Amino acid sequence: MTVSAVLFQLVQMALVLVLAPLLTGFVRLVKARLLGRRGPSPLQPYRDLARLLRKDAVLAENASWLFRATPYMMFTALWLAAALVPTFTTQLALAPAADLIALIALLGTARFFLALAGMDTGTAFGGIGSSREMMIAALAEPAMLMVVFSVSILVRTTSLAEIATFMMSGMVGLRISLALALISLVMVAVAENARIPIDNPATHLELTMVHEAMVLEYSGRHLALVEAAGMLKLLLYAALVACIFVPWGMAGPGGGAAAVLLGMASFAAKLAVAGTLLAVFETAIAKMRVFRVGEFLGGALLLSLLGAIFLYVSRGV
């Protein structure tokens, strides 16, 4: 482990923490412009988080230690997961631990504690949101794992740094299997981040909300941590798609300061493209019924499974 790798890792951790609210604010701004409204400033999420951090947390009388600890555990797990995904360089101190399986485990840990916290206070909304979240997770995780298997069959590893290096080598070419895996991962990302058509992050209607139902009892600094964790999760999936399928521009081994700056600029451009595409998609489609979520994620599982089969057959494994 070199000094530059440690330095890049610290920069990576700060970068994802700073850019996560900006990405959320950018998506809100683009959606507002597409709907003919002026929209909020892309810096509004920073103001919202700062306002919540200044407020005291109000806790229910029957809330246990789990309810109080979940925001910290959730934020830490998602921040660590976002720090594992290479964004502007593959030379990170945590690159040996940046494994797709470990990434899924961190995401599952954050989801597990949030679902428990939603049921901890015993409210009806929390129970509904937790049950729906677990239903979505039970359908999304197999699709996510099949995407991992598809990529690992091709690259022979689950290390994100090695996957990005292999994709940048020019030895991949155009593959239908990777396109299927990409579509499946995007569908899982939409579901995991509670975006339209699975959930509407801007609504509090009890018949439709999933994520918001689990966090209704949070306030103050606890709510700030939960909201920040959600923003980190959105950036994490955008960075994951960019790292696996669009890694070009990322600084490789031995890259100098110019390569690192180019990697940061390319990552910012990828986030802008991802935020714009997400806003356009959410504006052009309506939210689906909860009972149709299984069909949506079942399609994601089918696409990832087909991608894995195609790669398995083409490589003669």
Side-chain angles (χ1 to χ4, degrees), residues 199-206 208-213 216 287:
D199 190 18
N200 187 352
T203 185
H204 284 81
L205 181 62
E206 64 271 15
T208 61
M209 61 184 176
V210 179
H211 176 76
E212 292 296 325
L216 279 179
K287 184 186 178 303

Side-chain angles (χ1 to χ4, degrees), residues 104-175:
I104 295 175
L106 288 171
L107 292 171
T109 301
R111 182 191 307 111
F112 173 73
F113 278 101
L114 183 60
L116 288 181
M119 297 186 293
D120 186 68
T121 55
T123 61
F125 283 170
I128 291 174
S130 297
S131 63
R132 290 175 176 175
E133 179 72 11
M134 289 297 99
M135 178 196 70
I136 293 173
L139 298 170
E141 284 190 358
M144 183 73 174
L145 287 171
M146 288 309 304
V147 172
V148 173
F149 295 153
S150 299
V151 176
S152 61
I153 288 174
L154 176 64
V155 189
R156 306 284 185 170
T157 181
T158 55
S159 171
L160 283 169
E162 295 183 20
I163 290 173
T165 302
F166 181 84
M167 293 296 182
M168 288 188 294
S169 65
M171 300 171 57
V172 181
L174 296 176
R175 292 178 179 265

